[in-house]
């Protein structure tokens, strides 16, 4: 399988959640990488119908998109 590299922004709380899920998986005897957790989440979301997906999306806070602006050279 070919992989695709990408980058995105997430609130700090979501990174904390990823760390908690990594710890939980490790305690269960199945260590997981961040990318595995994100992929597992995508597969779980794909099992939802449209209404349930929209409901899940509505629980998320909005985040700024794009890259932060560079500070002007001093």
């Amino acid at each position: 399988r070919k992989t695709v590299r990408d980058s995105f922004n997430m609130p700090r709380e979501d990174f904390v959640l990823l760390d908690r899920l990594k710890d939980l998986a490790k305690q269960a005897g199945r260590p997981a990488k961040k990318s595995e957790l994100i992929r597992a989440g995508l597969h779980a979301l794909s099992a939802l119908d449209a209404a349930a997906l929209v409901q899940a999306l509505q629980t998320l806070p909005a985040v700024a998109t794009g890259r932060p602006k560079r500070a002007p050279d001093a």
Side-chain angles (χ1 to χ4, degrees):
R1 291 187 180 177
K2 285 192 170 190
T3 59
V4 177
R5 186 156 184 84
D6 198 359
S7 64
F8 51 90
N9 298 330
M10 290 190 328
R12 182 175 308 277
E13 295 82 15
D14 289 345
F15 277 100
V16 171
L17 182 56
L18 279 171
D19 284 339
R20 276 195 258 145
L21 290 169
K22 284 175 63 175
D23 289 343
L24 183 61
K26 186 176 181 179
Q27 290 171 12
R30 179 29 175 108
K33 298 175 184 176
K34 283 188 276 189
S35 62
E36 289 178 300
L37 291 169
I38 292 168
R39 291 174 51 221
L42 289 171
H43 285 264
L45 287 171
S46 73
L48 301 178
D49 63 21
L53 175 61
V54 168
Q55 185 177 11
L57 291 171
Q58 287 175 329
T59 68
L60 299 174
V63 293
T65 58
R67 296 184 181 269
K69 294 185 179 181
R70 282 183 35 187
D73 293 336

